Amino acid sequence: MYIYSWILYIFLACLSVVLIRRSCLNKPTVLVYGNKLSFSINTSMAFLFLILLFFAVMRKIEPGIGGTDAYEYLKKIDSADISYSSYFDELRMKSLLKTGEPLFQLLIILCNKLPHSHTAFLLIVYSTIIYCFLRFIRKFYDKTLSLFPILLLVCYFLSSFNILRSWLSVALCLISFNLIADKKYIKSIALILIASLIHYVGFCFLLVWLCCLLYDKKPRLFSRRSLLIFCVGINVLTFACQSVFINFFTDTKYSSYMGLLNTVSIIGHIPTILICFYSIWLFDKYKDSDENIAKCIIAMTVNLSLMYTTIFLMGWRISDFFALIRMYMLSVFFCDFKRKKYGIIYSVPLYLFVVVVFIQQMLSLRESSGVFPYLLSFI
């Protein structure tokens, strides 16, 4: 049965590349006119949105299938004793770190009150996630970039089948990053705060916001060297203060993870470290020529600066918040290699690297997330 799931997921990955390529070439686009406004819909992106939304919403979700965390959320929606009043009563007695992220809890309660609550919940969550993914791609990608790394998009999409709450927060942070690129810092920080109240790890994106704001105000402070020093400094500081971090989460809903502190391997994080490091290496080349790439490299710097927290202090979800930016930087690497003498030769290891990362991601999903096998809910 797994072979059909593999075929489906690889097909979705390849289809994503094809449709996003058509989107980058701006063909075709439908203009929609109203009484007071008009807007355009890129049909390739719209088609991809609907396909991904169909497979996300119409999958079967039950124990061990369709995403382990997703099943728990649907069970919670079905709970008869959840209400706004009971949640606010709980908030008065406990701290936010004991009751969970408030906006996601309120979403669960809202869906509990709606007819077809499971479908409504999945539609709200996945229409947001997929829309934000595609908005980010539409903002940063153009026809000059290699789209081969877009294969990884399906890995992140499938990961959201399981840990959908963190990916909902990631999606909103991606839109905030679009706003950061446009220097709309008030709107972007508001969106980051909303994302953080869906998943607290979203607060890590405040560091991206702060660094990009400083870059816009004081660009001379930023160089390859200063970014590397920043990464080392934050990781050393985190190491020195880790006991404070652990004590902060003691006696909270996250304290059950404490027993896993020494069980994480660094091997699975090596691709992330390599992408972040090479991104920083390119900073001096792009800081004056391409502001979008420069800000993506700053995001990669934050990703690398939080690596000790990610690997050793239960910050496993942190890297998810930078996943699509890493995917974009891989496309930038291809573009950079093309400009070198014998660029095709340089590109071959990068193609292999993307394939290895894709396989690594898919195998990790197969082991623990419940996305294998894929089953439709109506069959």
Side-chain angles (χ1 to χ4, degrees):
M1 189 179 293
Y2 282 6
I3 187 65
Y4 298 112
S5 300
W6 275 101
I7 292 171
L8 172 63
Y9 295 153
I10 292 172
F11 169 75
L12 289 176
C14 295
L15 183 65
S16 298
V17 173
V18 171
L19 292 176
I20 290 170
R21 181 182 298 279
R22 286 175 59 84
S23 171
C24 290
L25 294 173
N26 293 315
K27 49 166 137 172
T29 297
V30 175
L31 295 177
V32 180
Y33 296 95
N35 293 330
K36 296 184 178 180
L37 57 85
S38 63
F39 58 94
S40 63
I41 299 175
N42 186 283
T43 52
S44 296
M45 282 295 200
F47 186 49
L48 180 58
F49 173 87
L50 292 174
I51 290 174
L52 295 179
L53 186 62
F54 171 82
F55 283 105
V57 174
M58 301 309 297
R59 74 187 192 271
K60 180 179 287 188
I61 302 176
E62 57 186 37
I65 294 175
T68 51
D69 284 11
Y71 176 71
E72 295 301 321
Y73 293 136
L74 294 186
K75 275 177 55 181
K76 192 169 184 180
I77 289 173
D78 290 338
S79 175
D81 59 353
I82 62 170
S83 65
Y84 293 113
S85 58
S86 64
Y87 176 68
F88 288 121
D89 287 341
E90 187 180 14
L91 271 182
R92 282 194 287 269
M93 293 184 292
K94 301 178 182 179
S95 70
L96 285 174
L97 287 176
K98 292 183 178 180
T99 58
E101 290 81 345
L103 284 186
F104 192 78
Q105 300 300 324
L106 293 175
L107 175 62
I108 291 286
I109 296 169
L110 171 65
C111 291
N112 173 264
K113 310 302 180 186
L114 297 175
H116 307 290
S117 56
H118 289 188
T119 302
F121 175 72
L122 294 175
L123 275 173
I124 292 170
V125 169
Y126 285 103
S127 59
T128 303
I129 290 174
I130 297 166
Y131 172 77
C132 294
F133 280 10
L134 298 183
R135 273 290 299 274
F136 171 83
I137 290 170
R138 186 71 174 156
K139 168 71 176 176
F140 283 91
Y141 275 86
D142 58 43
K143 60 185 178 182
T144 65
L145 292 174
S146 169
L147 297 181
F148 187 71
I150 293 287
L151 289 173
L152 299 175
L153 180 68
V154 163
C155 299
Y156 310 138
F157 169 66
L158 294 175
S159 179
S160 74
F161 282 16
N162 180 28
I163 48 175
L164 60 84
R165 180 167 61 90
S166 63
W167 279 104
L168 180 59
S169 181
V170 169
L172 296 178
C173 284
L174 287 173
I175 297 300
S176 79
F177 192 69
N178 286 4
L179 295 170
I180 288 170
D182 292 334
K183 302 183 181 180
K184 297 178 180 178
Y185 285 99
I186 301 300
K187 291 181 179 179
S188 63
I189 195 171
L191 205 50
I192 291 170
L193 293 175
I194 291 171
S196 302
L197 295 177
I198 293 173
H199 199 294
Y200 289 142
V201 177
F203 281 116
C204 73
F205 223 76
L206 287 174
L207 195 53
V208 177
W209 182 90
L210 183 61
C211 290
C212 288
L213 177 63
L214 187 59
Y215 169 74
D216 280 331
K217 301 292 184 183
K218 303 286 184 181
R220 292 183 180 179
L221 295 176
F222 289 76
S223 65
R224 177 199 301 164
R225 183 179 179 182
S226 66
L227 294 182
L228 288 172
I229 291 172
F230 178 81
C231 287
V232 173
I234 294 295
N235 279 297
V236 170
L237 181 64
T238 305
F239 172 75
C241 300
Q242 59 182 322
S243 59
V244 176
F245 178 91
I246 293 171
N247 289 335
F248 181 78
F249 286 100
T250 300
D251 196 28
T252 69
K253 71 188 288 275
Y254 305 98
S255 57
S256 59
Y257 295 110
M258 294 298 179
L260 303 174
L261 281 176
N262 299 315
T263 63
V264 180
S265 170
I266 194 174
I267 295 175
H269 297 279
I270 290 176
T272 295
I273 294 171
L274 292 175
I275 294 169
C276 292
F277 183 80
Y278 190 67
S279 296
I280 296 170
W281 193 258
L282 292 177
F283 182 75
D284 288 347
K285 181 175 182 178
Y286 288 104
K287 66 178 181 179
D288 296 321
S289 61
D290 195 314
E291 193 172 275
N292 281 351
I293 294 178
K295 287 183 177 178
C296 285
I297 294 173
I298 290 171
M300 292 295 88
T301 304
V302 174
N303 191 179
L304 190 59
S305 70
L306 297 174
M307 196 52 62
Y308 186 85
T309 304
T310 302
I311 298 173
F312 299 108
L313 293 177
M314 304 183 302
W316 308 307
R317 302 288 180 246
I318 290 175
S319 279
D320 292 340
F321 283 78
F322 303 91
L324 270 78
I325 304 176
R326 290 196 302 272
M327 181 184 76
Y328 171 73
M329 287 308 303
L330 285 169
S331 295
V332 173
F333 296 168
F334 276 107
C335 186
D336 184 66
F337 286 173
K338 279 183 184 178
R339 296 173 184 152
K340 297 180 183 291
K341 189 177 181 180
Y342 308 117
I344 294 177
I345 296 175
Y346 282 104
S347 297
V348 171
L350 191 55
Y351 278 110
L352 294 175
F353 179 81
V354 173
V355 171
V356 168
V357 172
F358 178 82
I359 294 172
Q360 176 207 27
Q361 295 276 339
M362 295 298 288
L363 290 178
S364 67
L365 289 171
R366 179 180 173 179
E367 288 176 3
S368 60
S369 66
V371 303
F372 284 87
Y374 180 89
L375 298 174
L376 288 168
S377 59
F378 53 82
I379 295 180

